[in-house]
Amino acid sequence: MSLAVLVNISIMVGLLYVLYHFQKKYMPFTRRVFIALGMGVAYGACLQVFYGFPSETLTESIGWFNIIGNGYVGLLKMIVVPLVMVSVISAILKLKGAGALGRISGWILALLMITVSIAAVIGIVAALGFGLSAEAITTGAREAARGEQLLTTVARVENLSIPGMLVSLIPANPFLDMTGARSTSIIGVVIFSAFIGVAVLGLHRKEAVIAGKFESFVEVAHAIVMRMVTLVLRLTPFGILALMTKVVAGSNFSDILQLIQFVIASYTALIAVFVVHLIMVTMVGASPVQFIRKILPALTFAFTSRSSAGTMPLTIQTLTQRLGVSEGVSNFAASFGTTIGQNGCAGIYPAMLAVMIAPTVGVDPTSFSFIGTLIVTIAIGSFGVAGVGGGATFAALIVLSALGLPVELAGLLISIEPLIDMGRTAVNVSGAITTGFVGGRAMGEVNMDTFNSNDSPELDMDTVS
């Protein structure tokens, strides 16, 4: 290890200690999150300016920073499956009826399909409005290599017909899904957990004593898992500091400038979709300003981590503790929203790529037949897109393959993929939270006193000893 790397690590440790000091002084969680974000941007920019990109010292330093950043994301993923299982089972047992389960699922899925379709339309308009074209993008060595890699992947995607994708949601091996082995694993865990919950409800009629014992076990398990969630989420500011430092320090700004038009178009579309979310919130009688204030910590982490699945515990906590949504609706919205109807990764991105690539094979991207087919394909193809980095590429492969467009051209944007993916992930999470809140309001499952309270708990972070 060189002296320069050791100095960089020492500075990072010092910044982490500052955040720890703020925590010991009981500084509000939200404030610590934004301080960590600012510190990460500032430190990453200083490293970028001092060492330049690429740099061996910078690469080695980022490798050490990853212990904090990637380690935190790993801890979040560790608790996702147990959190989903105990939360879904607990929520169903409290529903006391399979009819309520179907009602919640129907509302959540319908809203996810509506929002992802709107996101697709906005993506199409953005691509056409900014005049984006795949033909205008210069292909370099990295882009060519990425294109070849996508060609080797597309065979697997082509075998996933729409009916096949829907069947793949069924957890044929629930224990495999608990390992996260498939892109649809989270949905598989939700379905398996729902079956357990419904089975216990049925058992009440025949074996009430046994069912009661199981409910007691679930109650204990739920309390333990939620304690684990709280312990992990307390580390959020530290994770954001390391992740943001890595993003800023490791970005190639010359490549970003070459594709700045696509970056601007993408973030214009992402902001437009977020505005749609706020309009939906307003339509159900809630303040969009209050909504933004309550969900900002979750969006901030989603932005820095680029992982919808990793943000899921924070998403559930935000829905229940800060927005006042019932536990059942919150868990289904967060779980479904991670792998179905992702507004950013499965909505905007495939739509923009398809519009850019269509002219290369003589297809008119402005024709109603193309646009209609594209929107329907995106909505259905959004089922089972993994809520982790790379999910947007998988979604794009599904859509491009279904439309008969050259999938290898999806590799043209590899240079700016991390920068765009940050915004896409934040919009994915915003869509899941909006779906849960709007669906909850429609079903009378939102405590508006909690939503309107200005002194709502800071995600229960500061009460952990």
Side-chain angles (χ1 to χ4, degrees):
M1 182 188 302
S2 66
L3 178 61
V5 173
L6 187 60
V7 170
N8 295 338
I9 295 173
S10 300
I11 295 174
M12 173 60 73
V13 171
L15 295 175
L16 292 171
Y17 178 78
V18 171
L19 290 176
Y20 176 72
H21 176 73
F22 289 154
Q23 179 176 305
K24 297 298 289 185
K25 293 292 184 181
Y26 297 102
M27 178 182 287
F29 176 76
T30 302
R31 192 180 303 171
R32 281 185 277 126
V33 165
F34 284 103
I35 289 176
L37 179 66
M39 290 168 61
V41 171
Y43 186 38
C46 290
L47 291 174
Q48 174 81 234
V49 170
F50 191 79
Y51 294 105
F53 183 90
S55 164
E56 184 176 339
T57 299
L58 197 57
T59 301
E60 188 176 351
S61 298
I62 290 174
W64 284 97
F65 299 162
N66 281 340
I67 296 176
I68 306 297
N70 292 350
Y72 174 64
V73 174
L75 288 174
L76 281 170
K77 291 179 180 179
M78 173 191 73
I79 60 177
V80 165
V81 169
L83 173 62
V84 169
M85 287 198 70
V86 299
S87 298
V88 169
I89 294 172
S90 177
I92 291 174
L93 295 181
K94 292 176 182 177
L95 293 175
K96 298 300 181 184
L101 173 62
R103 184 161 150 264
I104 291 175
S105 300
W107 268 104
I108 297 301
L109 289 174
L111 287 171
L112 286 172
M113 289 298 95
I114 290 171
T115 54
V116 77
S117 298
I118 293 173
V121 172
I122 291 174
I124 292 170
V125 172
L128 293 174
F130 280 84
L132 301 180
S133 172
E135 298 171 328
I137 300 177
T138 304
T139 303
R142 291 180 65 199
E143 288 76 10
R146 179 61 169 166
E148 292 178 3
Q149 181 184 3
L150 293 177
L151 283 174
T152 62
T153 306
V154 75
R156 178 170 60 91
V157 177
E158 288 176 337
N159 291 332
L160 285 178
S161 61
I162 298 301
M165 288 176 57
L166 296 178
V167 171
S168 71
L169 299 178
I170 299 174
N173 185 345
F175 299 102
L176 178 67
D177 284 329
M178 290 178 194
T179 68
R182 304 188 301 150
S183 62
T184 57
S185 284
I186 293 297
I187 296 299
V189 171
V190 171
I191 294 174
F192 180 64
S193 303
F195 266 92
I196 294 176
V198 172
V200 176
L201 290 179
L203 193 62
H204 264 287
R205 295 190 294 270
K206 296 182 178 181
E207 300 285 352
V209 175
I210 294 177
K213 291 180 179 179
F214 183 81
E215 285 192 27
S216 298
F217 165 75
V218 171
E219 184 178 353
V220 172
H222 186 264
I224 293 173
V225 170
M226 292 311 296
R227 183 66 172 182
M228 290 172 58
V229 170
T230 302
L231 289 171
V232 173
L233 290 185
R234 283 191 85 197
L235 302 174
T236 299
F238 306 104
I240 286 179
L241 168 62
L243 289 167
M244 206 65 214
T245 301
K246 170 188 175 181
V247 168
V248 176
S251 296
N252 190 333
F253 290 101
S254 62
D255 286 348
I256 293 173
L257 289 175
Q258 291 177 7
L259 296 170
I260 193 65
Q261 187 177 14
F262 184 85
V263 174
I264 295 173
S266 296
Y267 273 91
T268 299
L270 291 167
I271 292 171
V273 172
F274 184 65
V275 171
V276 170
H277 295 165
L278 298 181
I279 292 173
M280 293 172 64
V281 169
T282 305
M283 290 173 64
V284 295
S287 166
V289 175
Q290 183 79 335
F291 183 78
I292 293 174
R293 189 179 74 83
K294 298 268 186 165
I295 70 173
L296 267 180
L299 297 190
T300 301
F301 178 72
F303 185 82
T304 54
S305 68
R306 297 171 54 203
S307 174
S308 300
T311 312
M312 190 189 300
L314 199 55
T315 301
I316 294 174
Q317 291 274 48
T318 298
L319 281 164
T320 55
Q321 293 187 17
R322 295 174 70 84
L323 300 181
V325 182
S326 70
E327 192 172 305
V329 175
S330 297
N331 281 283
F332 275 91
S335 302
F336 284 168
T338 299
T339 52
I340 294 177
Q342 294 180 7
N343 290 186
C345 290
I348 293 175
Y349 187 64
M352 294 183 70
L353 270 184
V355 170
M356 291 173 58
I357 293 174
T360 65
V361 292
V363 176
D364 181 10
T366 62
S367 67
F368 287 109
S369 59
F370 175 80
I371 292 175
T373 303
L374 177 58
I375 294 172
V376 172
T377 303
I378 285 174
I380 299 176
S382 70
F383 280 75
V385 174
V388 295
T393 300
F394 185 75
L397 292 181
I398 293 173
V399 172
L400 296 177
S401 177
L403 296 177
L405 299 176
V407 297
E408 65 272 15
L409 294 182
L412 293 175
L413 303 171
I414 186 175
S415 299
I416 57 172
E417 183 71 15
L419 177 62
I420 302 296
D421 202 36
M422 294 166 71
R424 291 193 305 239
T425 306
V427 169
N428 290 345
V429 173
S430 173
I433 294 176
T434 301
T435 295
F437 183 77
V438 173
R441 283 286 284 166
M443 292 179 283
E445 297 281 345
V446 177
N447 184 335
M448 289 305 291
D449 290 336
T450 300
F451 176 83
N452 292 320
S453 173
N454 289 324
D455 57 351
S456 57
E458 290 290 335
L459 296 178
D460 201 25
M461 299 300 162
D462 301 316
T463 59
V464 181
S465 59

